Amino acid sequence: MIPFFPKQFSTRAILIYIMSLAAVSLVFYRYMMGLEFITIGIVWVLIFFLLSHRYTFQWSTFEEGKYIRKLFFTALLLRLIWVVVSYFFYLIKTGTPFEFGSSDAISYHDEAVWFHEMGWSVTFDYLKTRAIGDRGYSFYLAVLYSVIGPNIFLTRVIKSLLSSWMCVMVYRMAKRNLNDEVARMAGIFCCLMPNLIMYCGLHLKETEMIFLTVASLEKADSMLHKGSLKVWDVVIEALLIISIFFFRSVLGAAVIFAIFSALVFTTNRLMGNWNRVVLITWAIIGLAVLAGGAIANEARGLWETRSENQAAKRNYQVYKGYKWAQYATGAVMAPMIFVLPFPTMVDVDEQYNQQLMNGGNYVRNFLGVFVLIALFDALFRTKNWRDLSLMGAFEVAYLGIISSSGFANAERFLLPGVPILLVMAAYGISLVSARNYRWVKIWYWVVPIMVFGWAFFKLGTRGLF
């Protein structure tokens, strides 16, 4: 078993990224990204792959307490640095501390400021008119602003704290289900993952939403591994799940599905039959309650309209002149869901946010082969998928729903699945051997093809060549 991220993988990943970026920029030089986006992409790729090798090797000998402290404070430092850098970067580029085309972020901020000024009575009356999945973040910001004032910078500092603690929870969950070496790699991957860092510098709800999702999965996993149930644990878990529905209803549904799947499939060595009966009963009651309410109606509505949603987006894109968009259907995108989204390395339609995150998306693409190795091992070789059913069921459920919608390559919608994918990638890396390394070597060629192919698709579908 490989207990750390090998330098060979790190070096190859960096070389492939630079060569792919150079090839795309040269071939499509008329649509080359701005120098700032190229620089930011290179920096993120270097940070992730160089430090992943260094930290997974150096921190492997630390006692657990020291490792957790290193993980948390390193994650926090990286996030705080980006919060400061991005704050002034956006001020220079957009004239505001918000990202490019930040309609959602500005709306959240302005709404919370209005709540802060008008008081709680108006806040609650207004939130009743909003969809369930849109109430949580606005309410959270309103509460936060009532304490710290409408301070954009401090709000993002708090996001950094939550995201850093999320890395620790990922480590603990991975350790219980796999082993300490894989868990340490997974925690470090979350610590260094560019997209998770960059969202701390945005005024969007993804950071808090991911924190709640990982917290609910980690708490459920802890309960599954305990020999006894405590009422307080069940109450906390219920509150976490309910809170997720107020951020994104489909995400909450995926968490419930994952917990129920784990209760059904987890082997008896992890929990007794009596505890299983109690928890399954609790899950059924919870599902029954949710099934009759507005939360379930919203989640069910999104699922039932997934085909229409996807078709509408495709039709709109075709109407706008994106000729090849009709081929990006759910059937095409679903098999690639574990490696999406593809990085945008060309300048089209002023998609500056996608260009800014091209390095982070590339990291996901490169790690995709290790996710696939982990899946193969769990399903066909060791067949330990039952004991990994909580994380696996969540990932399949959530990414499956997204792949069936019109947002299969939308980085923002795919982001909540990233922490568990990084656990799977760490597990896959630990499994690399002389026998399966040939698939990794093939992947070295697949990744640049995906990168170049996506650039070709984005330009071709707009009739730009």
Side-chain angles (χ1 to χ4, degrees):
M1 187 191 79
I2 300 178
F4 57 87
F5 190 60
K7 186 176 182 179
Q8 181 181 358
F9 295 165
S10 172
T11 303
R12 191 62 62 90
I14 293 170
L15 289 175
I16 292 173
Y17 174 78
I18 293 175
M19 292 174 63
S20 300
L21 179 61
V24 170
S25 299
L26 288 173
V27 173
F28 306 115
Y29 66 92
R30 291 176 55 194
Y31 305 98
M32 186 171 65
M33 293 189 298
L35 182 60
E36 65 272 36
F37 301 120
I38 292 175
T39 302
I40 290 172
I42 292 173
V43 169
W44 280 127
V45 168
L46 290 174
I47 286 175
F48 182 87
F49 288 109
L50 291 179
L51 293 185
S52 287
H53 165 68
R54 180 178 179 180
Y55 290 164
T56 55
F57 182 77
Q58 290 183 349
W59 298 2
S60 62
T61 58
F62 293 166
E63 56 91 15
E64 185 177 51
K66 183 177 180 180
Y67 166 81
I68 289 176
R69 289 192 297 273
K70 279 278 191 181
L71 178 65
F72 177 81
F73 287 110
T74 302
L76 181 60
L77 178 62
L78 289 170
R79 283 152 176 78
L80 290 178
I81 290 173
W82 176 250
V83 165
V84 174
V85 171
S86 64
Y87 189 92
F88 291 103
F89 176 79
Y90 291 133
L91 274 177
I92 294 170
K93 302 298 286 188
T94 70
T96 71
F98 297 99
E99 71 275 13
F100 304 95
S102 57
S103 57
D104 285 352
I106 293 176
S107 175
Y108 287 135
H109 172 70
D110 290 345
E111 196 171 66
V113 171
W114 182 64
F115 291 157
H116 175 64
E117 295 172 347
M118 299 302 294
W120 291 113
S121 177
V122 173
T123 299
F124 287 123
D125 287 341
Y126 180 76
L127 288 177
K128 290 177 183 177
T129 67
R130 301 288 297 275
I132 296 292
D134 291 330
R135 297 179 188 178
Y137 188 59
S138 296
F139 178 74
Y140 163 77
L141 283 182
V143 172
L144 201 58
Y145 286 1
S146 70
V147 177
I148 66 173
N151 191 309
I152 294 172
F153 186 81
L154 283 181
T155 299
R156 295 176 183 177
V157 169
I158 294 172
K159 287 176 181 286
S160 300
L161 288 166
L162 294 176
S163 183
S164 300
W165 186 245
M166 179 273 299
C167 299
V168 176
M169 291 190 292
V170 167
Y171 161 72
R172 288 176 172 170
M173 181 165 53
K175 182 179 179 181
R176 281 193 295 266
N177 289 277
L178 294 163
N179 57 59
D180 189 61
E181 289 81 5
V182 170
R184 293 191 181 211
M185 268 196 285
I188 290 169
F189 287 169
C190 286
C191 167
L192 300 174
M193 183 64 189
N195 299 49
L196 296 176
I197 297 172
M198 295 173 80
Y199 269 84
C200 293
L202 303 179
H203 233 63
L204 297 170
K205 63 183 178 181
E206 271 64 28
T207 296
E208 290 81 2
M209 189 165 62
I210 292 171
F211 173 81
L212 291 171
T213 301
V214 173
S216 66
L217 291 173
E218 196 276 334
K219 173 59 71 174
D221 184 69
S222 175
M223 292 166 62
L224 286 169
H225 283 77
K226 285 181 179 178
S228 61
L229 282 178
K230 294 182 179 179
V231 174
W232 186 240
D233 289 336
V234 176
V235 171
I236 292 175
E237 179 64 16
L239 290 175
L240 286 170
I241 292 174
I242 291 171
S243 67
I244 296 171
F245 276 96
F246 287 99
F247 280 76
R248 183 172 293 166
S249 55
V250 171
L251 194 58
V255 170
I256 289 182
F257 173 77
I259 294 173
F260 190 79
S261 299
L263 293 172
V264 172
F265 294 113
T266 301
T267 58
N268 285 330
R269 120 183 120 76
L270 295 180
M271 63 182 300
N273 289 326
W274 175 245
N275 285 342
R276 189 191 304 276
V277 170
V278 172
L279 286 176
I280 289 178
T281 303
W282 169 76
I284 292 173
I285 293 172
L287 286 171
V289 171
L290 290 171
I295 292 175
N297 291 334
E298 185 176 332
R300 185 167 57 248
L302 181 59
W303 173 253
E304 291 174 348
T305 59
R306 66 193 186 283
S307 298
E308 291 84 350
N309 178 31
Q310 185 183 58
K313 185 177 180 183
R314 294 284 84 80
N315 291 337
Y316 174 75
Q317 290 174 329
V318 173
Y319 169 75
K320 293 290 289 183
Y322 305 164
K323 301 176 182 178
W324 299 350
Q326 58 184 310
Y327 302 112
T329 62
V332 173
M333 304 302 278
M336 300 183 288
I337 201 64
F338 292 106
V339 299
L340 293 174
F342 298 130
T344 296
M345 293 185 179
V346 288
D347 184 13
V348 292
D349 296 344
E350 299 183 346
Q351 295 179 344
Y352 301 128
N353 293 319
Q354 290 93 322
Q355 295 175 51
L356 194 67
M357 295 187 180
N358 81 85
N361 291 346
Y362 168 82
V363 169
R364 242 185 106 163
N365 298 157
F366 186 85
L367 294 179
V369 65
F370 304 112
V371 174
L372 297 177
I373 289 173
L375 285 171
F376 180 86
D377 182 83
L379 292 173
F380 303 109
R381 198 174 71 85
T382 61
K383 298 182 180 180
N384 62 339
W385 62 270
R386 289 179 177 273
D387 293 338
L388 302 175
S389 56
L390 179 71
M391 293 186 288
F394 167 77
E395 205 68 12
V396 170
Y398 182 70
L399 294 183
I401 293 171
I402 296 302
S403 70
S404 299
S405 72
F407 305 99
N409 196 56
E411 185 273 339
R412 184 178 170 187
F413 283 86
L414 292 169
L415 191 68
V418 167
I420 303 303
L421 280 178
L422 293 177
V423 174
M424 297 167 67
Y427 181 42
I429 289 168
S430 73
L431 297 171
V432 173
S433 62
R435 187 172 66 175
N436 59 24
Y437 180 60
R438 67 180 185 275
W439 300 112
V440 178
K441 290 192 290 186
I442 293 174
W443 197 253
Y444 291 158
W445 295 95
V446 172
V447 171
I449 291 173
M450 290 192 299
V451 171
F452 190 88
W454 183 242
F456 182 79
F457 181 88
K458 289 186 78 73
L459 295 173
T461 197
R462 290 160 176 80
L464 297 178
F465 58 79

